[in-house]
Amino acid sequence: MNRIILHSDLNNFYASVECFYDPKLRNCPVAVCGSQSTRHGIVLAKNRIAKEYGVKSGEAVWEARSRCPGLVVVRPNYMRYLRFSMMVRKIYENYTNLIEAFGIDENWLDVTESTMLFGSGEKIADELRKRIEYELGITASVGVSFNKIFAKLGSDMKKPDATTVISPENYKEKIWGLPAGDMIYVGPSTRRKLADIGISTIGELACAPPRFLEKHFGQWGRTLWMFANGYDETPVTRLDFQPGIKGVGNSLTTPRDLCGDNDVKILTYVLADSVAERLRRHHLKGRTVQIYIRSGDLTFIERQGKLPYYCHTSSEIAEKALEIFAASWDWSKTIRTLGIRVTNVVMDNECGQLSLFDDERRLRREQLESSIDRIRSRFGHYSVQRAVLLKGNGLSASPVEENASEI
Amino acid sequence: MKIICSKENLLDGINIVQKAVSTKTTLPILEGILIEADERIKMTGNDLEIGIECYVDADIKRPGSIVLNSKMFGDIVRRLPDSEVLIEVKENDSVIIECENSLFEIKGISSEGFPSLPSIEKEEGIRISKKILKDMIKQTIFAVSIDENRPILTGSLFEYKSGKLTIVSIDGYRLAMRCFFSENTAEGIDRSLVIPGKTLNEIAKIIQPVDEDIYIYAAGNQILFDMGNCIMTSRLLEGEYLNYMGIIPSEHETKITVNTKDLLACFERASLVITNEERRYPVKLDISDDLVIITANTEAGNVREEIRAEMEGKKLDISFNHRYFIEALRVIDNEMVDIFFTTNIGPCTIKPMQGNDFAYLILPIRK
């Protein structure tokens, strides 16, 4: 039996939410952009009016302004978006428990078993859209199909506020004509490679011999072929299923370029603090520390090193990161973005194996940092700070606190 | 050089010296075996960490020397029929290998550039039975650390003191110690050396479990094992080894006496549900009233084992990595052992009921 999968995409999500909070904006071109002064100044989302002017997500604020002189630029407000995302999810939960988030504003819903109660997929999709608009004041595009890939394609086909049904009967005429690049997982590089072998539409991909694709793309070639033919069978993962976390990382583009070891030291501690806190929140410990350095000219390097034991304390992560940094950066260029990631993680209750070299100080550091977590959860992130960050020169803002970008 | 040698003898020699030939090197000559013919043939492998020389009886028609790629030479000889093999060096270091109806001509390398083994004076050595040394290595090698953060622990301590040889391995989570004392089978001056784990592995493979003696000499940072027709040299690890006596607790809160094989079988069965080595599931020991209850719970299933034990002291609830117990119990020949526990976060030590021939210390898993 065919599954019935919905893909729901909230239209112009950030901009819609901002317009909801400030109805005056509704009839102006609006773009939600990062702060230019901290050099995050790109367009994150825009409303329909701004879109008509040709404003694109991802372009710099000045580019957008030159296309659309009257553009109203709004700073993002992640807590609002998270709240809305949760509320939308609550609506979905009325229809199924099989909900898989794809970013903050997109979700797959498997409603196969719910059709007995709520009617056909199309009917559920229409009802969802109506409820989201009525209850939350924003709109959604919903694709209805028999697999996740086609459902996602469907939600992209008609915007805003529309339902598109792609059925086993009509999928050939509906989507085979679309460019291959529209299909999820076909990025710019895959698209180029497909073009090189004369494939430009989804239909051409579907009709290509899978062996031929395999020769060019390996296993992935066959997978793409299956996607294009609607043979995708990946399940919509249940909402209470948490995929195993492979690592925890944070990176930050700073308001000004980093130009000395002291700047790096401050930022390293900021990032390590955030990474360590998140490791502890997920009850993880990691053993490999990776650093990511992007210089002023936007080239980047990544280096990694191994800790002698699994850990989740910021001091140890920061010390290791600084050690790796010292060995891999010669300061021939200034630094624009710095990142720290801890991988090779295990659950922290699994590394209870005692060692002859366990020292008391390590245990005390762990206790200290979890006490700090508790203080911060009551009194706010900045209630306790490392002394080194007090002279932060504008570098010591926590990446998570400032953006709440983690979902 | 021109020699005739039986395939069997030749292969025995190759198998031994190949253990010291590097597989990954920038120097092609180190991937070779040096063959020198005088009265017998001497084969040498040397990866600059470990060196092995092995003598093989042969009919020497013309003395000389050559270096042959170890893999190529070994693979050829291994596949030759069981008969006499003729090896002859021609001009330009090309080498003929002939045996019955097979004839190879392969490229050799001039022996001039082959690094010689470090010279170690055969003075003030330690003499010990091959069988005992092999056993002692096997009984301790598994606890050698593989963590490069503490290089000294990637080797075993080799301590010789007034007729008593002690080998100790420690990897940070456990310790394995074996002693051997006998004036008849071992003699020499007092020494304390740290031998790389790799060296011990290879020497344990080479020596036969027979009642012959092996002589051990050391000078500077090098060690030499003399096995009669074969010698092996190796670099030693430099630095101070841990004070192992200080690690083994002298007091205990709980003591049990159990049958070694039965306990091993319990652990081996308990380990069957621990299918995922990545996630370190503990095996729990619940010790009370002359009974040890061993349990393991994993996502794959649960297991519960009971074993009778003579018990002294307090009740105890403690968890371990099953592998550490299994590896220690497997190499203990004694029928019964004593196990001493301190607390459930302190080390436990497996010892013989009498004497001090061995001690296996294992740290628990904190709950």
Side-chain angles (χ1 to χ4, degrees):
Chain A
M1 196 187 96
N2 276 329
R3 296 183 297 164
I4 297 168
I5 311 273
L6 269 47
H7 181 266
S8 161
D9 185 353
L10 303 174
N11 304 127
N12 314 324
F13 181 53
Y14 292 179
S16 302
V17 173
E18 292 304 330
C19 290
F20 178 79
Y21 273 87
D22 188 356
K24 284 199 301 292
L25 298 176
R26 227 169 254 187
N27 299 315
C28 314
V30 178
V32 179
C33 307
S35 148
Q36 277 174 292
S37 61
T38 55
R39 302 195 299 178
H40 300 151
I42 58 161
V43 176
L44 301 167
K46 69 276 164 189
N47 70 355
R48 202 150 45 87
I49 305 169
K51 199 181 219 163
E52 280 163 18
Y53 281 97
V55 174
K56 292 195 187 89
S57 295
E59 70 183 351
V61 175
W62 64 266
E63 280 177 284
R65 280 230 162 87
S66 66
R67 276 183 220 281
C68 174
L71 187 70
V72 180
V73 172
V74 192
R75 285 287 308 274
N77 204 324
Y78 288 100
M79 290 329 263
R80 283 179 183 172
Y81 311 148
L82 271 179
R83 195 162 153 250
F84 261 77
S85 180
M86 292 299 173
M87 289 191 296
V88 174
R89 214 186 159 103
K90 282 261 150 35
I91 297 178
Y92 297 153
E93 279 169 10
N94 287 313
Y95 297 89
T96 177
N97 64 333
L98 297 173
I99 304 169
E100 180 179 336
F102 189 67
I104 195 168
D105 56 347
E106 295 180 31
N107 282 280
W108 275 292
L109 288 76
D110 184 335
V111 296
T112 315
E113 308 290 336
S114 317
T115 47
M116 305 287 266
L117 291 168
F118 302 106
S120 71
E122 187 174 5
K123 185 160 171 285
I124 295 176
D126 287 338
E127 209 171 304
L128 274 176
R129 286 194 298 109
K130 250 181 241 143
R131 281 191 63 179
I132 292 170
E133 188 172 11
Y134 180 73
E135 294 175 23
L136 302 171
I138 56 178
T139 60
S141 294
V142 183
V144 183
S145 191
F146 52 99
N147 64 64
K148 281 165 77 178
I149 306 291
F150 286 2
K152 163 111 176 105
L153 274 168
S155 71
D156 287 336
M157 280 171 79
K158 239 185 281 167
K159 282 180 175 179
D161 200 12
T163 302
T164 309
V165 180
I166 296 173
S167 65
E169 290 78 37
N170 72 7
Y171 75 93
K172 285 187 186 170
E173 58 187 273
K174 283 225 166 179
I175 61 164
W176 275 17
L178 296 174
D182 280 5
M183 205 171 79
I184 186 174
Y185 302 126
V186 178
S189 117
T190 307
R191 198 190 59 217
R192 258 196 314 276
K193 281 187 216 158
L194 283 171
D196 285 346
I197 54 174
I199 293 175
S200 59
T201 66
I202 297 177
E204 284 164 3
L205 180 62
C207 297
R211 286 240 176 112
F212 172 72
L213 292 167
E214 237 169 345
K215 223 163 61 193
H216 284 269
F217 298 91
Q219 279 254 279
W220 190 235
R222 181 170 284 270
T223 311
L224 286 175
W225 175 83
M226 288 178 70
F227 286 171
N229 279 295
Y231 301 150
D232 166 44
E233 280 184 5
T234 42
V236 174
T237 3
R238 290 173 58 110
L239 58 101
D240 50 8
F241 175 80
Q242 266 239 334
I245 296 175
K246 299 237 172 72
V248 171
N250 268 122
S251 68
L252 203 61
T253 299
T254 46
R256 59 172 174 80
D257 277 1
L258 306 176
C259 49
D261 285 337
N262 200 45
D263 285 352
V264 169
K265 187 174 167 192
I266 290 168
L267 197 61
T268 301
Y269 274 102
V270 170
L271 292 167
D273 219 25
S274 161
V275 169
E277 194 190 328
R278 287 169 55 209
L279 280 170
R280 288 192 294 269
R281 197 184 319 146
H282 295 293
H283 303 288
L284 297 171
K285 281 185 171 187
R287 207 167 165 189
T288 303
V289 177
Q290 299 179 331
I291 62 168
Y292 165 91
I293 310 169
R294 193 163 63 137
S295 57
D297 60 11
L298 303 186
T299 56
F300 71 91
I301 62 164
E302 267 186 319
R303 297 288 181 271
Q304 65 175 43
K306 211 166 180 194
L307 291 163
Y309 37 77
Y310 290 92
C311 100
H312 57 194
T313 50
S314 64
S315 35
E316 280 152 310
I317 295 168
E319 277 160 31
K320 188 74 201 179
L322 288 171
E323 181 193 315
I324 303 165
F325 178 82
S328 39
W329 197 252
D330 61 1
W331 282 116
S332 60
K333 287 181 250 177
T334 56
I335 296 173
R336 184 180 166 88
T337 307
L338 193 67
I340 295 182
R341 189 172 350 155
V342 173
T343 59
N344 191 358
V345 295
V346 294
M347 297 299 289
D348 61 2
N349 59 4
E350 281 171 41
C351 24
Q353 174 65 54
L354 297 160
S355 150
L356 289 169
F357 309 114
D358 274 334
D359 69 45
E360 279 296 305
R361 278 175 315 180
R362 232 179 86 201
L363 211 63
R364 284 216 299 274
R365 266 201 301 264
E366 286 185 7
Q367 285 165 351
L368 171 71
E369 296 210 4
S370 41
S371 303
I372 289 175
D373 288 347
R374 284 198 294 277
I375 293 172
R376 283 178 169 169
S377 73
R378 269 187 79 179
F379 301 105
H381 181 85
Y382 295 109
S383 56
V384 193
Q385 284 271 67
R386 276 179 189 278
V388 66
L389 304 185
L390 294 176
K391 293 189 295 178
N393 305 329
L395 296 174
S396 46
S398 154
V400 171
E401 279 300 300
E402 297 306 304
N403 292 318
S405 59
E406 199 202 349
I407 304 161
Chain B
M1 187 182 89
K2 185 176 178 182
I3 56 170
I4 296 170
C5 178
S6 79
K7 178 214 166 175
E8 194 190 350
N9 287 353
L10 204 53
L11 192 56
D12 284 348
I14 292 170
N15 283 338
I16 290 173
V17 297
Q18 268 186 337
K19 294 186 168 39
V21 178
S22 18
T23 44
K24 281 180 208 148
T25 172
T26 46
L27 281 172
I29 199 161
L30 294 184
E31 290 174 15
I33 294 175
L34 170 68
I35 302 165
E36 292 166 290
D38 195 1
E39 284 171 14
R40 293 189 290 169
I41 50 176
K42 183 171 94 176
M43 290 195 251
T44 310
N46 184 1
D47 67 3
L48 305 179
E49 291 264 320
I50 297 177
I52 300 176
E53 268 177 21
C54 184
Y55 286 94
V56 176
D57 285 325
D59 181 4
I60 312 294
K61 300 286 185 199
R62 191 165 66 240
S65 66
I66 191 73
V67 176
L68 288 174
N69 179 284
S70 161
K71 184 166 186 311
M72 167 84 73
F73 183 46
D75 287 351
I76 291 174
V77 173
R78 211 159 282 138
R79 284 170 179 74
L80 287 177
D82 295 326
S83 180
E84 298 293 304
V85 182
L86 171 106
I87 300 173
E88 184 176 5
V89 181
K90 296 281 197 187
E91 284 163 24
N92 300 327
D93 297 326
S94 97
V95 179
I96 303 282
I97 301 173
E98 198 180 338
C99 178
E100 290 189 357
N101 300 324
S102 309
L103 175 73
F104 284 86
E105 183 168 355
I106 60 172
K107 270 189 190 153
I109 307 173
S110 158
S111 61
E112 281 159 35
F114 200 86
S116 54
L117 298 192
S119 64
I120 296 157
E121 291 288 322
K122 291 186 181 175
E123 282 174 358
E124 299 179 323
I126 300 166
R127 179 170 66 87
I128 184 168
S129 136
K130 283 182 180 172
K131 181 179 185 319
I132 289 164
L133 181 67
K134 190 179 171 99
D135 285 347
M136 286 178 77
I137 293 172
K138 278 205 288 195
Q139 286 160 342
T140 50
I141 191 86
F142 57 85
V144 168
S145 169
I146 46 168
D147 185 356
E148 291 295 329
N149 280 307
R150 291 175 195 273
I152 193 81
L153 296 186
T154 60
S156 294
L157 177 71
F158 211 81
E159 194 178 62
Y160 189 76
K161 211 170 182 178
S162 39
K164 184 169 115 174
L165 176 65
T166 308
I167 302 183
V168 185
S169 305
I170 302 174
D171 69 2
Y173 310 109
R174 55 178 164 169
L175 168 154
M177 185 200 82
R178 277 277 167 175
C179 304
F180 182 75
F181 183 87
S182 165
E183 287 175 34
N184 296 328
T185 39
E187 63 186 30
I189 61 152
D190 294 0
R191 290 181 175 282
S192 175
L193 314 164
V194 184
I195 306 172
K198 179 170 184 290
T199 306
L200 289 171
N201 252 326
E202 300 302 353
I203 198 85
K205 278 186 216 155
I206 293 173
I207 52 181
Q208 299 297 318
V210 291
D211 271 328
E212 288 168 14
D213 286 339
I214 178 169
Y215 293 81
I216 302 166
Y217 307 91
N221 67 344
Q222 296 287 339
I223 188 167
L224 186 152
F225 298 88
D226 188 345
M227 292 153 272
N229 62 350
C230 176
I231 68 160
M232 173 164 164
T233 64
S234 162
R235 183 182 59 93
L236 290 167
L237 293 175
E238 286 171 271
E240 190 79 14
Y241 201 75
L242 294 181
N243 170 17
Y244 66 93
M245 288 309 283
I247 294 170
I248 301 173
S250 50
E251 287 169 3
H252 64 271
E253 293 283 332
T254 309
K255 176 190 164 188
I256 58 169
T257 305
V258 285
N259 180 293
T260 317
K261 286 225 163 54
D262 291 348
L263 183 63
L264 173 61
C266 283
F267 269 99
E268 283 178 333
R269 282 193 294 266
S271 73
L272 296 176
V273 295
I274 303 175
T275 48
N276 189 344
E277 281 287 329
E278 288 287 298
R279 295 193 62 179
R280 283 175 279 178
Y281 290 105
V283 169
K284 287 193 200 106
L285 271 66
D286 191 347
I287 306 163
S288 65
D289 305 330
D290 286 340
L291 190 68
V292 183
I293 299 169
I294 298 169
T295 54
N297 307 307
T298 73
E299 55 203 7
N302 305 324
V303 49
R304 181 192 147 99
E305 292 275 341
E306 281 183 17
I307 180 170
R308 289 267 144 217
E310 243 173 78
M311 177 190 161
E312 273 172 40
K314 293 183 184 167
K315 292 179 177 182
L316 186 72
D317 221 340
I318 189 167
S319 301
F320 289 99
N321 179 333
H322 63 283
R323 196 162 58 87
Y324 295 166
F325 253 94
I326 289 172
E327 286 178 345
L329 292 169
R330 263 184 196 159
V331 296
I332 297 174
D333 297 326
N334 305 34
E335 193 192 345
M336 304 289 283
V337 284
D338 285 344
I339 308 180
F340 299 88
F341 298 88
T342 50
T343 63
N344 67 358
I345 53 164
C348 93
T349 320
I350 310 171
K351 287 181 178 175
M353 287 176 73
Q354 274 107 36
N356 292 312
D357 280 355
F358 62 82
Y360 292 94
L361 175 141
I362 301 168
L363 284 169
I365 290 174
R366 196 196 298 131
K367 273 185 253 183

